[in-house]
Amino acid sequence: MNTVRIVVTGLGAAVRGLDTPDELLNPPAAGGPGTDPVGRLTGRGLRYRDRATKLAMVAGRDALASAGLTGADGELTVPSQSVGTVVSTNFGNVDTVCETVETIARDTYLGTSPMLLPATSSNVVASWLAITHSLRGANLTLCNGRTSGLDAVNWARLLVGSGRVERVLVAGVEPDNPAVRHLAPEQTEFFDGAAALVVESVESAASRGVRPLAELGPYARRAGHAGAVADVREQDPRTIGLWCVPEHPEGIGAPAPTLGAGAATAEVHDLSQLFGPSSGALGVLQCVAATAWLDSADSSGRDAGSVVLATAGTGNAGQDDAAAALILAPAGSA
């Protein structure tokens, strides 16, 4: 069992109309389409990068800076091999893949571009994050459905806890483009954005003089939502202050009975209702929003002992496909 305490030290978000991760749970009133976060990227080499990669680059850059892992010049301030990368995305670079398939069908392989072919790899987002910031530690991509985001956060925990790396940049991203809409015709809304966080051990954060924002608690992945929630709540029965609910076609109006005592007073937020079904980005998006919520507890007057439950899956009372649950706690309280 992993006994290394893992904390969140940096946050980033690239969502249209939002300026900071603090706005994820309470976005500004809609007054227009908002500014495209990809516009915050500058420099050469962006032409051949797909939208998912660009969105992840914005969120990842902000998370690394927030964690104090990059300086004013954007260069890494720690050994490059000490930082790993884990990305969660289900649709990712599907636009590049579809374009390449169409080109081959029309013109054979002779019509393909040597610049685009490498971008058809499902690991392209994680690769570009690592290349851009010289992150030479373990590099993984998860694309296993709605639980993928929370699974990615847990894989980052395992990488740090096993000593593979000292810290990990975790990003969750999904793009909105014609290829995605073609593959998911049943959806009417689509998330277009990214969220990112940096996790590392308590000791690593202390050695760098960085203040932890939250601490990772129990995680469970089960066949149904109710089972995953019950598992983590059994391990950490403290009062739930915030519940980021899973995607659900009809929404979830109140915490399920499996949350246990004190759940009736929890704030309930459905990020998928705010930003559209977010697939592989959901779990990371929830963790970033929840960490920002926990970090603001001192100024808001909330109970500093409250923990956050982030869940991903369909939330169909245990009748859905795989579901995951993760607890986040105030830094130093787990």
Side-chain angles (χ1 to χ4, degrees):
M1 181 178 179
N2 184 3
T3 58
V4 178
R5 294 173 61 190
I6 307 297
V7 294
V8 180
T9 55
L11 302 175
V15 179
R16 187 182 294 271
L18 303 188
D19 294 323
T20 67
D22 297 332
E23 297 175 329
L24 284 171
L25 293 181
N26 296 290
T35 303
D36 185 349
V38 167
R40 290 149 56 187
L41 291 176
T42 58
R44 302 176 60 185
L46 297 175
R47 178 181 176 185
Y48 295 104
R49 300 184 192 181
D50 57 69
R51 181 160 182 81
T53 295
K54 293 176 182 177
L55 288 166
M57 287 176 62
V58 175
R61 179 190 62 188
D62 289 356
L64 290 170
S66 171
L69 292 176
T70 53
D73 58 358
E75 297 296 317
L76 207 60
T77 58
V78 296
S80 58
Q81 66 272 16
S82 73
V83 189
T85 309
V86 179
V87 167
S88 171
T89 182
N90 290 319
F91 293 108
N93 63 334
V94 68
D95 51 344
T96 304
V97 173
C98 289
E99 179 183 346
T100 302
V101 169
E102 291 172 356
T103 298
I104 293 174
R106 183 181 63 248
D107 304 322
T108 77
Y109 74 93
L110 295 175
T112 60
S113 164
M115 298 299 294
L116 286 180
L117 275 178
T120 59
S121 165
S122 60
N123 199 51
V124 65
V125 177
S127 296
W128 272 121
L129 283 175
I131 292 169
T132 302
H133 298 287
S134 300
L135 313 181
R136 297 179 181 173
N139 189 289
L140 302 173
T141 295
L142 280 74
C143 47
N144 58 301
R146 290 182 177 91
T147 68
S148 184
L150 290 188
D151 295 338
V153 175
N154 190 58
W155 270 97
R157 184 220 303 265
L158 294 174
L159 289 172
V160 174
S162 65
R164 287 290 303 276
V165 291
E166 294 182 45
R167 47 197 71 90
V168 177
L169 171 64
V170 185
V173 59
E174 296 293 359
D176 178 10
N177 54 49
V180 173
R181 289 177 176 261
H182 174 73
L183 290 175
E186 73 283 357
Q187 289 184 209
T188 57
E189 294 182 274
F190 292 82
F191 176 67
D192 183 62
L197 53 90
V198 171
V199 300
E200 57 188 305
S201 68
V202 169
E203 293 75 17
S204 172
S207 69
R208 299 194 300 113
V210 175
R211 182 179 66 86
L213 307 177
E215 184 166 347
L216 299 189
Y219 158 87
R221 192 171 192 275
R222 297 290 178 264
H225 172 253
V229 170
D231 194 316
V232 295
R233 290 296 288 138
E234 181 178 356
Q235 297 177 66
D236 191 337
R238 288 179 295 175
T239 300
I240 293 290
L242 172 71
W243 184 27
C244 292
V245 303
E247 289 186 3
H248 193 283
E250 298 176 357
I252 296 179
T258 49
L259 289 185
T265 59
E267 290 186 30
V268 179
H269 289 267
D270 187 342
L271 296 180
S272 295
Q273 286 191 346
L274 288 174
F275 304 111
S278 38
S279 193
L282 177 61
V284 182
L285 195 69
Q286 290 175 329
C287 288
V288 170
T291 297
W293 184 90
L294 280 170
D295 187 49
S296 65
D298 291 340
S299 59
S300 67
R302 287 194 299 269
D303 177 9
S306 294
V307 300
V308 163
L309 176 65
T311 53
T314 57
N316 291 332
Q319 302 302 314
D320 57 324
D321 54 0
L326 174 70
I327 293 250
L328 289 93
S333 72

